[in-house]
Amino acid sequence: MSERAFWLAWSQIEGLGTTLIRRLAQQLGSLATAWEADLAAVGQVEGIGPQLLERIAIARRHRDPLTDWQQHQQNNPHFWLPIDPDYPRLLLEIPSPPSVLYYRGQVDTRELQGRICAIAIVGTRDPSEYGRRWTRRIATALAQQGVVVVSGMAEGIDMEAHAACLEAGGRTIAVLGTGVDQIYPRRNRELYYRICQQGWVTSEYPAGTQPDRFHFPRRNRIIAGLARAVLVMEAPSKSGALITAHLANEFGREVYVLPGSLDNPRSLGCLGLLQRGAQVILSEGDLLQQLGAIPALDADPMPTPSSQPLPNLEPHLARVLAAVPAEATSLDQIVLTTHLETGTVSSALMQLEMLDLVTQLPGLRYQRLR
């Protein structure tokens, strides 16, 4: 629990994202150790410049991570950190996963693991009747095939996608640009509660966070990151949906586009995506066939145990190795099992990795090799 509390504390410092937080843990032994480490040692971590180091110094003087953790949980009872086993697997693959991800609703662990396919549907807030109709047809077809629909609960295409999916009995995920306790726009109140009953809402912003125009472009990377593919149904040449499409392409996700008319300004962004190589949506059946060709995600890799004998290990290394199971487990769990300091366990795991006895998986999880 303490490492989770320190992760949260580091994440509250402006300019420290998931990559830098992981780097701190790896180079200084643990996040708890890093919090107490000499400031000069913290400044040696790649990516931490003078201005960020000053913010870190101020935070360490004025914050108590364990007290902050308790207060944070009162207002935000449900959230994942990248070191948690339930943190969405697909988000760990993108360059900038949220350092904290809040949620509310009915979560299915299989969705978090990527075992159930999730597809994002995005588009303009002011769609034509054509865009609305095809969004509902596509969302309905996906829901009937057991696909989870991901969108942003905005007006227009997002709202149509969520609503059609729910009406077809499917599950849907809404990525918000506010705290998960805020409903925006207000007219989507009923839709919000239906999503929470038949899916879940999520956000990187804590409870109470109000709408901000800078939040919505940032949340688009989460929409793209949670999905195996992104469908752009209707989008003008300047549209947030195009940001989501570009991010999806960067993340290695497929992008599919509903073709529109040259006479319709709402379709010009879609036509531009097609010109740059996006896949075209010709019908529900054609789309489902194309999506069916997306390879299934493998389960967490289960290394084949080696028949080689174990080397003679120092007592503390043997103790840590004995606490690492064949299934992926978190650093916190290994610390609890061994009753050793987090820094000692982290250092031991690095040595065991060098000996090919354990392997590190995304989210600071570890797995025994032999």
Side-chain angles (χ1 to χ4, degrees):
M1 182 62 70
S2 64
E3 192 70 0
R4 296 186 80 226
F6 281 97
W7 180 289
L8 182 66
W10 284 107
S11 74
Q12 304 304 303
I13 301 174
E14 183 184 356
L16 269 178
T18 297
T19 299
L20 273 180
I21 296 174
R22 284 178 173 157
R23 199 172 292 160
L24 279 163
Q26 291 170 353
Q27 294 191 21
L28 297 177
S30 73
L31 293 177
T33 303
W35 192 264
E36 302 295 336
D38 182 79
L39 201 60
V42 176
Q44 293 300 310
V45 175
E46 182 183 356
I48 297 182
Q51 291 185 342
L52 180 52
L53 191 62
E54 178 61 25
R55 288 197 291 271
I56 291 172
I58 294 171
R60 297 202 308 183
R61 286 198 300 268
H62 297 286
R63 289 180 179 272
D64 174 18
L66 297 180
T67 300
D68 288 353
W69 171 265
Q70 294 170 353
Q71 294 175 346
H72 191 83
Q73 282 192 306
Q74 292 178 4
N75 297 323
N76 301 275
H78 305 297
F79 60 89
W80 300 297
L81 306 175
I83 55 175
D84 293 336
D86 284 342
Y87 190 92
R89 175 182 174 184
L90 285 172
L91 283 183
L92 291 173
E93 298 179 358
I94 71 174
S96 55
S99 54
V100 184
L101 190 67
Y102 304 92
Y103 66 94
R104 175 179 286 188
Q106 308 301 314
V107 174
D108 188 326
T109 304
R110 296 172 300 170
E111 294 164 1
L112 303 178
Q113 297 169 344
R115 290 163 50 198
I116 296 178
C117 184
I119 302 296
I121 299 180
V122 296
T124 178
R125 286 174 167 78
D126 181 32
S128 66
E129 190 279 330
Y130 164 79
R132 291 181 185 276
R133 183 175 73 253
W134 271 99
T135 297
R136 296 186 70 86
R137 288 179 61 167
I138 293 297
T140 298
L142 292 175
Q144 290 173 343
Q145 294 297 314
V147 174
V148 179
V149 171
V150 182
S151 198
M153 212 182 80
E155 293 279 6
I157 294 297
D158 291 14
M159 185 177 67
E160 298 288 352
H162 288 305
C165 175
L166 293 168
E167 290 167 9
R171 285 180 55 81
T172 187
I173 302 169
V175 183
L176 310 183
T178 64
V180 294
D181 61 335
Q182 304 297 308
I183 302 174
Y184 180 81
R186 288 291 181 185
R187 68 189 69 182
N188 279 350
R189 176 177 296 273
E190 181 181 350
L191 177 63
Y192 170 90
Y193 288 116
R194 289 174 63 199
I195 293 172
C196 288
Q197 293 170 359
Q198 214 166 309
W200 42 287
V201 299
T202 189
S203 172
E204 65 182 318
Y205 303 108
T209 302
Q210 298 296 313
D212 186 291
R213 64 190 182 92
F214 295 108
H215 292 171
F216 295 96
R218 279 190 56 78
R219 66 91 187 265
N220 290 345
R221 81 188 193 287
I222 303 176
I223 294 175
L226 285 171
R228 301 297 307 280
V230 171
L231 316 183
V232 184
M233 304 307 294
E234 203 170 42
S237 56
K238 293 183 179 180
S239 170
L242 302 183
I243 297 175
T244 309
H246 295 320
L247 288 168
N249 186 59
E250 290 181 12
F251 299 163
R253 285 21 172 190
E254 294 285 349
V255 176
Y256 297 84
V257 173
L258 181 73
S261 168
L262 286 169
D263 296 326
N264 179 9
R266 301 180 181 94
S267 294
L268 296 183
C270 292
L271 295 174
L273 290 174
L274 289 172
Q275 186 180 39
R276 290 189 290 275
Q279 304 294 318
V280 64
I281 299 172
L282 296 177
S283 68
E284 300 101 307
D286 176 73
L287 175 65
L288 291 174
Q289 186 175 10
Q290 291 188 75
L291 293 175
I294 296 177
L297 286 178
D298 294 331
D300 279 346
M302 295 292 289
T304 303
S306 171
S307 59
Q308 298 178 2
L310 291 176
N312 290 326
L313 299 173
E314 296 179 22
H316 76 286
L317 292 179
R319 185 172 173 180
V320 171
L321 180 62
V324 182
E327 309 84 32
T329 192
S330 68
L331 175 63
D332 282 347
Q333 184 58 51
I334 300 170
V335 171
L336 289 173
T337 303
T338 59
H339 302 289
L340 295 171
E341 294 291 330
T342 302
T344 302
V345 172
S346 181
S347 175
L349 287 168
M350 290 179 66
Q351 295 179 61
L352 293 171
E353 279 191 272
M354 294 175 65
L355 293 170
D356 290 328
L357 296 176
V358 302
T359 185
Q360 182 179 345
L361 302 171
L364 282 183
R365 294 179 298 159
Y366 294 85
Q367 195 169 36
R368 184 166 178 158
L369 292 175
R370 54 189 172 102

